[in-house]
Amino acid sequence: MINLHNAMYYTEEKNSKVKCRLCPNLCLIKPGEKGKCNVRINTDGKLYSTNYGLTTSGARDPIEKKPLYHFLPGSCAYSYGTVGCNLFCQFCQNCMV
Ligand code: SF4
Ligand code: SF4
């Protein structure tokens, strides 16, 4: 079941379309469709987030595994993420273009 949460940072446009202004993609989304990130959906002219509050992974790692140079050596970093991405890196296993 999809968890819909009222989205922020969008405007209502003509013909029940919505313009998402959360990121530079500025998706113009028709009713029933999603933005490029695949997680913000237009339902009856309102924009909803489907990944609000969802976590798909979390990990505690030594800071040395992160792409940082000599930043707090010997400490730990905590990473977490959710579904959806608004970028399209060609090398990515999650890239859908
Ligand atoms: S990619 Fe997602 S967050 Fe970015 S503008 Fe489009 S719908 Fe909004
Ligand atoms: S590597 Fe994949 S998940 Fe990370 S920003 Fe690029 S497309 Fe998104």
Side-chain angles (χ1 to χ4, degrees), residues 1-74:
M1 180 176 164
I2 297 176
N3 175 34
L4 293 181
H5 185 88
N6 291 332
M8 297 175 67
Y9 307 114
Y10 76 99
T11 51
E12 296 178 12
E13 306 292 335
K14 292 180 182 172
N15 302 318
S16 296
K17 294 176 185 172
V18 297
K19 180 97 168 180
C20 180
R21 300 176 183 277
L22 183 61
C23 88
N25 286 321
L26 296 173
C27 299
L28 183 62
I29 310 170
K30 296 176 185 173
E33 295 188 356
K34 294 176 180 175
K36 292 179 178 177
C37 57
N38 215 30
V39 291
R40 287 166 77 86
I41 186 170
N42 179 344
T43 300
D44 297 329
K46 305 284 184 189
L47 188 62
Y48 294 90
S49 167
T50 61
N51 65 348
Y52 182 87
L54 289 180
T55 301
T56 54
S57 67
R60 178 180 178 272
D61 285 313
I63 197 76
E64 285 77 11
K65 284 181 67 177
K66 301 299 174 184
L68 302 169
Y69 179 70
H70 208 69
F71 181 78
L72 298 176

